[in-house]
Amino acid sequence: AQTVTQSQPEMSVQEAETVTLSCTYDTSESDYYLFWYKQPPSRQMILVIRQEAYKQQNATENRFSVNFQKAAKSFSLKISDSQLGDAAMYFCAYTSLGGYQKVTFGTGTKLQVIP
Amino acid sequence: DGGITQSPKYLFRKEGQNVTLSCEQNLNHDAMYWYRQDPGQGLRLIYYSQIVNDFQKGDIAEGYSVSREKKESFPLTVTSAQKNPTAFYLCASSISGSYNEQFFGPGTRLTVL
């Protein structure tokens, strides 16, 4: 079974600084997708960024970028120029392209942004 | 505005009672999902549906039931067989295919008294 591990339950960053959230996963599949979702205090989950495993280039969305290391099964999220609005729970997630069609989430990392 | 709604926001239930959580979407999405969120455990999949009149069990389906009679609606019933139902429940929808972005509702907090 696929598993997603986020080993940092909580992290903090100074406003305007850069922070990296870690995620590792376990799979025997060769083709899959990885996601980072953000859940702010309002608890409304939104997608931050998505990475297709067959693409070697790391995905980027404005201040958010990933470091995807397929061989190491690692998928970290880098937030640059951190803002107060970045404070949230961040969930790493995985899905394969097989028939089961479900998404497996990690346990989340709570990010605090210090003014 | 297109989106996904859940009601009620807060729900209280006495032990032994069944309760139904509502989830509606007007995004024309084929796929819909129910997750349970507990502190320190992330999101766990309860049920999902890729098409009307069809649904599959997720990782923690015991004590829950669903129906998918309309594309827009995917209600979740928490039955008395669910031993620890107090949790935050999230509904999501997406274009068919798990590799697509999931859009989440605002959630329902269920408390068993």
Side-chain angles (χ1 to χ4, degrees):
Chain A
Q2 290 84 11
T3 58
V4 177
T5 302
Q6 294 180 251
S7 59
Q8 306 153 316
E10 295 188 23
M11 291 196 70
S12 62
V13 62
Q14 284 298 131
E15 197 176 2
E17 297 295 312
T18 296
V19 65
T20 298
L21 309 184
S22 300
C23 173
T24 58
Y25 58 94
D26 184 28
T27 183
S28 58
E29 303 286 338
S30 60
D31 205 5
Y32 48 87
Y33 281 72
L34 296 161
F35 311 82
W36 278 99
Y37 279 89
K38 172 185 177 181
Q39 187 180 42
S42 68
R43 307 198 80 168
Q44 182 78 52
M45 297 267 289
I46 57 171
L47 178 68
V48 175
I49 201 164
R50 183 178 75 163
Q51 174 81 42
E52 297 121 288
Y54 66 86
K55 287 189 175 179
Q56 293 188 345
Q57 186 174 6
N58 289 323
T60 299
E61 289 286 344
N62 300 314
R63 298 182 294 106
F64 298 86
S65 62
V66 298
N67 183 8
F68 174 48
Q69 301 290 329
K70 190 172 184 179
K73 297 180 182 176
S74 171
F75 183 60
S76 60
L77 175 69
K78 186 172 81 171
I79 306 174
S80 303
D81 185 26
S82 297
Q83 300 175 1
L84 295 178
D86 295 333
M89 285 288 289
Y90 287 83
F91 293 95
C92 179
Y94 161 98
T95 189
S96 67
L97 297 182
Y100 198 34
Q101 298 285 317
K102 74 163 195 171
V103 179
T104 301
F105 286 83
T107 53
T109 296
K110 184 176 182 180
L111 178 66
Q112 179 186 18
V113 180
I114 302 167
Chain B
D1 287 336
I4 181 165
T5 59
Q6 292 183 243
S7 61
K9 187 173 183 179
Y10 299 98
L11 189 56
F12 297 89
R13 187 194 95 175
K14 292 182 179 179
E15 281 192 31
Q17 288 181 337
N18 293 354
V19 63
T20 298
L21 282 60
S22 169
C23 178
E24 304 276 335
Q25 54 97 1
N26 61 3
L27 299 167
N28 200 32
H29 287 167
D30 287 311
M32 296 188 74
Y33 309 82
W34 272 106
Y35 294 94
R36 171 177 170 145
Q37 186 174 17
D38 296 284
Q41 296 197 49
L43 275 69
R44 293 182 290 167
L45 182 65
I46 305 172
Y47 269 96
Y48 65 107
S49 169
Q50 295 291 330
I51 197 169
V52 174
N53 292 323
D54 187 46
F55 48 83
Q56 288 79 39
K57 293 181 179 180
D59 299 318
I60 56 165
E62 185 175 352
Y64 300 97
S65 66
V66 295
S67 62
R68 188 83 188 278
E69 298 176 0
K70 298 187 299 181
K71 187 175 186 178
E72 304 79 16
S73 179
F74 191 41
L76 173 74
T77 297
V78 184
T79 75
S80 56
Q82 169 50 234
K83 298 306 179 187
N84 185 23
T86 294
F88 187 67
Y89 292 86
L90 280 165
C91 179
S93 70
S94 73
I95 298 171
S96 189
S98 61
Y99 50 87
N100 288 304
E101 175 183 1
Q102 292 192 19
F103 292 81
F104 287 81
T108 292
R109 174 69 184 178
L110 173 64
T111 302
V112 174
L113 303 173

